Amino acid sequence: MTTHVTIIGAGLGGLTLARVLHVHGIPATVYEAEVSPTARSQGGMLDIHDYNGQLAVRAAGLMDEFRSIVLEGRQAVRGLDREGNVLVDEPDDGTGGRPEVQRGELRQMLLDSLPGGTVRWGHKVSGVRGLGDGRHEVTFADDSTVVTSLLVGADGAWSRVRPVLSAASPVYAGTSFVETYLFDADTRHPAAAKAVGGGSMFAGDQGKRQIGAQREKGGTLHVYAMLSEPLDWFGGIDFADPAAAAAQIAQAFDGWAPELTALITDSDTAPVLRPLYTLPAGHRWDRVPGVTLVGDAAHLIPPNGEGANLAMLDGAELGEALVAHPGDVETALSAYEQAMFPRSAAQLATAEDPDNPTLEDVIKLFARDE
């Protein structure tokens, strides 16, 4: 296959696709809105599952590199009630079935595996239009354009490519995270560090409040306070005043154990609001020549520990479909979508009601799905 593949978005799905194509000698260019790989934080830890994400890593020929970034022992998970009592305490089983890695390091691994110049940084898409015969024109914020006969939207929840295929737009899922970090926690925040343990910790009850935390490198605790509230509820919080915002969020956890609320009030960073959005259940589209989607652009769902894994598997399977059907792009895209649509629908069906999550849901949410 000699058709040049144009990929919008240098997230995990788009980069996995580019890598699989590179392995098989298919040229691709990735256009990314961010100005550099370090333009923003790349998020926390991910567990990469042996039944989807690791399959993508294998297809990319990067298992040795992947193993080198695994954080040993981080598969450990514990569940607490709101009083801080330990309900579940499972050590890392050492099987490697869902090892934890830092998202930023996983992304850098993929970037390092691509030829120089594959990713074009600072290219924010402002629009896409069809030209007929499977060709599309992509316009960037600086008014430059590129015309391609094979376009892949790997540009996340607010994809600029999706409207070419679907009228669907993300809607608020009814739940938001407030994200905080505690640094050098074993020394500076020992009670909170003890509560979290050596891997991931989830605390809550059967109501609308949960707290999750993950132990990252260097004694860093990455914390997510989860609240099932309408967006206007968060509008009453002044996030421009970090201390006041943390105090207001902590008030929602009044009566909880102090070592748990300290994960919010003792934050070493300003709390950040992360609303969750989702696409309609069973989101799919009719085949449009020359274009498709991967990852959140295709199947944004409430977090259940599978999003990054599915994005990478999408990228790998699309790449392999293009390899399997040289010179027949439409057959390749159809084969990819026919496998991807039911897989993503099944994942949405397993997600619990985001408006009333339970502690079990949160344990699933932070990468512990079976």
Side-chain angles (χ1 to χ4, degrees):
M1 176 177 167
T2 58
T3 300
H4 192 102
V5 183
T6 298
I7 303 167
I8 306 301
L12 298 178
L15 292 176
T16 300
L17 169 60
R19 168 62 185 182
V20 171
L21 294 175
H22 172 63
V23 167
H24 293 279
I26 299 175
T29 302
V30 182
Y31 293 92
E32 169 55 46
E34 294 173 7
V35 298
S36 76
T38 59
R40 65 176 178 88
S41 170
Q42 292 301 310
M45 293 201 305
L46 299 171
D47 61 328
I48 303 302
H49 306 156
D50 55 9
Y51 53 84
N52 47 26
Q54 289 185 46
L55 298 180
V57 175
R58 289 187 185 280
L62 295 171
M63 280 304 295
D64 287 344
E65 292 83 351
F66 173 76
R67 292 189 185 99
S68 74
I69 64 173
V70 168
L71 295 177
E72 297 298 332
R74 297 309 200 280
Q75 286 186 228
V77 59
R78 56 171 35 190
L80 311 180
D81 63 19
R82 57 187 293 169
E83 286 79 33
N85 300 308
V86 178
L87 306 178
V88 177
D89 197 1
E90 297 181 357
D92 187 332
D93 63 11
T95 63
R98 53 187 78 190
E100 299 276 358
V101 298
Q102 300 273 167
R103 179 187 284 269
E105 293 186 359
L106 182 61
R107 187 195 195 205
Q108 191 61 51
M109 178 193 81
L110 291 165
L111 286 169
D112 290 344
S113 75
L114 297 172
T118 299
V119 179
R120 308 286 177 85
W121 301 99
H123 282 71
K124 183 177 181 179
V125 175
S126 59
V128 178
R129 68 186 183 100
L131 301 177
D133 297 324
R135 297 165 66 245
H136 291 83
E137 180 185 70
V138 181
T139 301
F140 300 100
D142 63 0
D143 292 328
S144 64
T145 62
V146 63
V147 174
T148 179
S149 58
L150 180 45
L151 176 64
V152 180
D155 48 344
W158 306 103
S159 172
R160 294 296 186 129
V161 180
R162 187 191 301 122
V164 175
L165 293 163
S166 167
S169 295
V171 297
Y172 180 54
T175 297
S176 293
F177 292 162
V178 175
E179 182 182 39
T180 64
Y181 284 89
L182 278 66
F183 301 133
D184 193 17
D186 294 302
T187 300
R188 300 178 59 244
H189 310 284
K194 182 178 179 181
V196 172
S200 298
M201 181 279 294
F202 316 96
D205 52 24
Q206 301 302 309
K208 300 180 357 178
R209 306 283 188 266
Q210 313 283 350
I211 297 177
Q214 294 178 312
R215 182 177 287 270
E216 298 184 355
K217 281 187 172 180
T220 294
L221 301 182
H222 191 173
V223 182
Y224 308 84
M226 187 174 74
L227 302 101
S228 295
E229 298 288 355
L231 284 174
D232 57 9
W233 187 91
F234 296 96
I237 299 173
D238 183 8
F239 283 94
D241 184 338
Q248 286 180 268
I249 293 296
Q251 286 176 5
F253 296 88
D254 185 45
W256 286 46
E259 63 269 28
L260 297 177
T261 56
L263 292 166
I264 303 167
T265 58
D266 290 359
S267 176
D268 293 311
T269 60
V272 176
L273 179 63
R274 306 285 190 193
L276 304 182
Y277 290 86
T278 184
L279 285 168
H283 177 241
R284 61 177 61 210
W285 52 86
D286 295 331
R287 177 92 293 283
V288 173
V291 60
T292 193
L293 305 172
V294 301
D296 284 350
H299 45 71
L300 179 68
I301 63 175
N304 66 350
E306 297 287 359
N309 286 279
L310 291 178
M312 293 176 68
L313 186 60
D314 285 352
E317 290 197 346
L318 175 54
E320 291 179 329
L322 291 168
V323 171
H325 300 282
D328 192 350
V329 167
E330 286 310 300
T331 296
L333 297 185
S334 294
Y336 158 70
E337 291 174 354
Q338 288 169 11
M340 182 269 292
F341 286 146
R343 178 173 66 229
S344 59
Q347 283 302 319
L348 181 59
T350 65
E352 301 292 339
D353 179 7
D355 293 323
N356 188 28
T358 66
L359 180 59
E360 181 182 4
D361 299 336
V362 179
I363 291 177
K364 291 179 180 179
L365 178 72
F366 287 93
R368 290 295 180 267
D369 287 70
E370 291 297 333

